Amino acid sequence: MTSTYEEIRALSSMDGSEGLLAIIIRESFMPESDGVRFVTPPNSPQQLGILSHPAGKVIEPHIHIATKRVIYDTQEVLIIKWGVVCIDFYTSDGGLVCHKRLYKGDIVHLISGGHGLRMDTDSIIIEIKVGPYMGRQDKKPLYPLPL
């Protein structure tokens, strides 16, 4: 069991600044204490939080108030339901940063930069992102794939 999550960071070749590309939460992750802990930056358009509560804790029934938000970035959360998936992380200008292997139960929040996936075994992935779904209209290939 681990109480830490993994951040994938990269230096931008554009301005030299460091950026957060992704957060990986392994299946073995266990929080150190009860409560709510958001692991994404406060200004991130998609928030990833970890909630740990003891038996008997009640979260009061509530609704979320309609609030206009303007979102320019597409972020995704992938949950590996089954299989082994290798994910390649890229800077926004296409530089390869690293490869990480994800296993059943692992979660990755893709925040910025680029990514590519290879299925090492038959795999089922649950993908969560802000809609509406636009197909390939909001994607830019980093390089042509071989036919």
Side-chain angles (χ1 to χ4, degrees):
M1 302 276 182
T2 179
S3 61
T4 60
Y5 54 90
E6 197 174 340
E7 292 185 351
I8 309 298
R9 294 187 169 272
L11 292 178
S12 167
S13 62
M14 303 287 205
D15 63 6
S17 65
E18 184 179 64
L20 181 61
L21 299 180
I23 295 172
I24 296 174
I25 300 175
R26 299 289 181 181
E27 189 277 334
S28 61
F29 175 87
M30 290 298 291
E32 293 176 344
S33 59
D34 290 340
V36 178
R37 177 179 172 205
F38 282 90
V39 297
T40 45
N43 62 342
S44 181
Q46 188 165 15
Q47 294 292 307
L48 178 61
I50 299 163
L51 288 65
S52 176
H53 300 297
K57 165 74 175 172
V58 173
I59 296 175
E60 298 294 330
H62 63 282
I63 61 170
H64 293 268
I65 299 167
T67 305
K68 182 177 180 176
R69 293 175 172 94
V70 178
I71 299 172
Y72 295 103
D73 301 322
T74 300
Q75 296 185 359
E76 302 173 80
V77 174
L78 304 178
I79 303 166
I80 310 304
K81 178 79 173 155
W82 184 262
V84 179
V85 177
C86 184
I87 184 165
D88 301 324
F89 295 96
Y90 296 88
T91 59
S92 295
D93 56 356
L96 179 64
V97 175
C98 67
H99 315 281
K100 294 288 179 176
R101 196 158 265 108
L102 303 176
Y103 303 91
K104 178 182 175 182
D106 288 348
I107 299 168
V108 61
H109 184 180
L110 301 166
I111 295 172
S112 67
H115 56 275
L117 305 172
R118 288 187 314 280
M119 307 313 132
D120 288 350
T121 66
D122 292 346
S123 300
I124 298 172
I125 302 169
I126 297 171
E127 178 180 52
I128 302 166
K129 64 180 170 182
V130 174
Y133 178 66
M134 300 179 68
R136 299 193 65 76
Q137 292 176 345
D138 70 346
K139 295 180 182 176
K140 174 185 156 193
L142 292 176
Y143 55 86
L145 292 174
L147 298 176

